[in-house]
Amino acid sequence: MSVQDLSAGRLLAKNAVRLRAFVRSRVHNDADADDISQEAYARVLARSRATPLKDPVAYAFRVALNLLSDQRRPGAPDVNEPIDDAAASDAPSPFEVLDMKQRADLFTRALQRMPRLRREVFVLRQSADLSYPEIAARLNISVEAAQKHFSRAALEVRKAVDMERAR
């Protein structure tokens, strides 16, 4: 994920309530407002990957207006038409994807700041699901050292997450 994607995503997230209120004032129900707002965000995030945007928030409002206009055109699908459950997607929303990417980036930065041995112990315990004795044998350290490195690494990751939440 590029810096442009992150900054566009953060700006959109900060202005989510404004955009939804803007759309809600022009449609008949909350579900339509949610759908149009989400579609606008998805299009803006997709566009920001291809081309840097000067003002992603203004672009999101413009996209929302265009979607509202498209909805009113003759031949446009009826917004009150029932949704086909088979067509529903279990895919995460653009906000969920952005949140997951930001968390992964935060986690990666926290790992990169750790000393090499601590990072290796943490990765072996979390990703490879090895026991402390297995980690100790693989890295030629004591079981107690493996436990110590893991607990310190977990503490560092927790601090990084807590600091991010405090922002």
Side-chain angles (χ1 to χ4, degrees):
M1 172 176 275
S2 71
V3 173
Q4 177 68 22
D5 291 344
L6 284 174
S7 64
R10 285 185 179 136
L11 284 171
L12 291 173
K14 286 181 183 177
N15 289 279
V17 173
R18 277 184 49 221
L19 180 66
R20 191 188 175 290
F22 173 79
V23 172
R24 179 63 181 102
S25 71
R26 289 161 174 78
V27 294
H28 300 292
N29 61 52
D30 289 335
D32 290 341
D34 291 339
D35 291 345
I36 292 170
S37 299
Q38 185 175 9
E39 180 64 21
Y41 288 129
R43 290 183 183 194
V44 171
L45 289 173
R47 178 68 184 245
S48 73
R49 288 185 191 107
T51 307
L53 300 173
K54 280 185 180 180
D55 189 349
V57 175
Y59 188 68
F61 276 83
R62 177 83 275 172
V63 169
L65 278 174
N66 290 345
L67 290 169
L68 288 163
S69 176
D70 289 347
Q71 190 179 47
R72 292 187 189 109
R73 285 193 184 125
D78 182 11
V79 295
N80 297 319
E81 183 178 315
I83 296 175
D84 179 15
D85 287 336
S89 173
D90 290 332
S93 72
F95 286 118
E96 291 169 326
V97 170
L98 177 64
D99 184 52
M100 287 185 277
K101 287 180 180 179
Q102 288 174 340
R103 286 177 189 227
D105 186 47
L106 174 68
F107 187 77
T108 300
R109 285 193 313 261
L111 284 175
Q112 289 171 342
R113 286 192 298 265
M114 289 180 197
R116 182 193 56 78
L117 184 59
R118 185 173 301 160
R119 179 175 52 247
E120 286 181 28
V121 168
F122 188 77
V123 169
L124 289 172
R125 180 79 175 144
Q126 291 296 102
S127 298
D129 201 26
L130 297 180
S131 68
Y132 290 118
E134 291 170 323
I135 294 169
R138 184 177 281 192
L139 297 177
N140 200 23
I141 60 176
S142 70
V143 173
E144 293 79 17
Q147 291 170 334
K148 177 189 76 166
H149 283 296
F150 179 78
S151 65
R152 287 186 179 170
L155 184 63
E156 287 180 33
V157 169
R158 171 57 53 203
K159 282 183 183 178
V161 168
D162 289 345
M163 285 177 47
E164 184 65 25
R165 284 185 184 154
R167 285 185 181 181

